Amino acid sequence: MKIQKMIWKIFQTLVKWISIKRTPSPEIAAEAIINKPTMRKINRIVLHCTATSPYTTVKSITNYWKNTLGWKSPGYHYMIKHDGFLVNILPVDKFSNGVRGFNSDSIHISYIGGATGDTRSALQKNTTKALINKLRSELGHLPVTGH
């Protein structure tokens, strides 16, 4: 009986931690940053892969940009983890370092993975589609390009 209670407490703690640390849906993340008074003109959505293992952490990628490349802004607005969870790295009203010459009017979305080809999970594909649909519903039917 004690073991069952202990397992239940661990489970509840994990559920609480997950709900705090992760964005539950692309719609919520996109809604939180769209329609700001200072919104810039967006002309396209650019899709990327991080060219890493699908299990690379968001923190290691952002540390690489900052510490190795010396970037002041991240490379993407959103990253999608292998388990489909969306991480908002930068508000869409800010410029990212996604594609030189196209950052001022683009939103950059990347899935984590791609070092050995298309490693997108079904969850990453679903989150990508949902996020694109949400952004388009808020910002107009933007073209989607790859990089």
Side-chain angles (χ1 to χ4, degrees):
M1 191 67 158
K2 280 187 175 184
I3 293 174
Q4 288 176 332
K5 284 184 180 181
M6 189 169 66
I7 291 171
W8 180 248
K9 283 187 179 187
I10 292 169
F11 175 76
Q12 287 178 316
T13 302
L14 285 172
V15 168
K16 191 176 197 181
W17 180 83
I18 289 169
S19 67
I20 291 170
K21 298 287 184 186
R22 297 181 174 195
T23 302
S25 72
E27 290 80 10
I28 291 172
E31 204 166 285
I33 58 169
I34 294 176
N35 294 327
K36 289 189 173 190
T38 59
M39 188 62 187
R40 63 194 173 98
K41 173 69 175 148
I42 304 296
N43 291 319
R44 75 189 58 78
I45 298 169
V46 183
L47 300 181
H48 303 262
C49 73
T50 59
T52 63
S53 158
Y55 304 101
T56 303
T57 64
V58 171
K59 185 173 184 163
S60 68
I61 295 167
T62 56
N63 283 341
Y64 174 76
W65 292 330
K66 183 178 180 183
N67 300 324
T68 303
L69 300 179
W71 290 359
K72 292 179 182 172
S73 295
Y76 318 118
H77 293 93
Y78 296 98
M79 275 196 261
I80 303 170
K81 294 180 175 186
H82 193 258
D83 60 6
F85 280 101
L86 181 69
V87 181
N88 181 219
I89 306 297
L90 184 70
V92 296
D93 63 338
K94 307 282 186 217
F95 297 178
S96 75
N97 285 322
V99 181
R100 185 182 304 229
F102 294 92
N103 293 323
S104 65
D105 64 350
S106 300
I107 294 175
H108 299 278
I109 303 168
S110 184
Y111 76 92
I112 296 177
T116 59
D118 185 356
T119 59
R120 291 175 298 163
S121 68
L123 295 168
Q124 283 175 312
K125 290 176 183 179
N126 291 340
T127 299
T128 301
K129 288 176 189 174
L131 178 58
I132 290 169
N133 289 338
K134 179 63 178 174
L135 291 169
R136 284 177 160 179
S137 75
E138 297 290 332
L139 301 171
H141 191 77
L142 300 169
V144 178
T145 62
H147 179 250

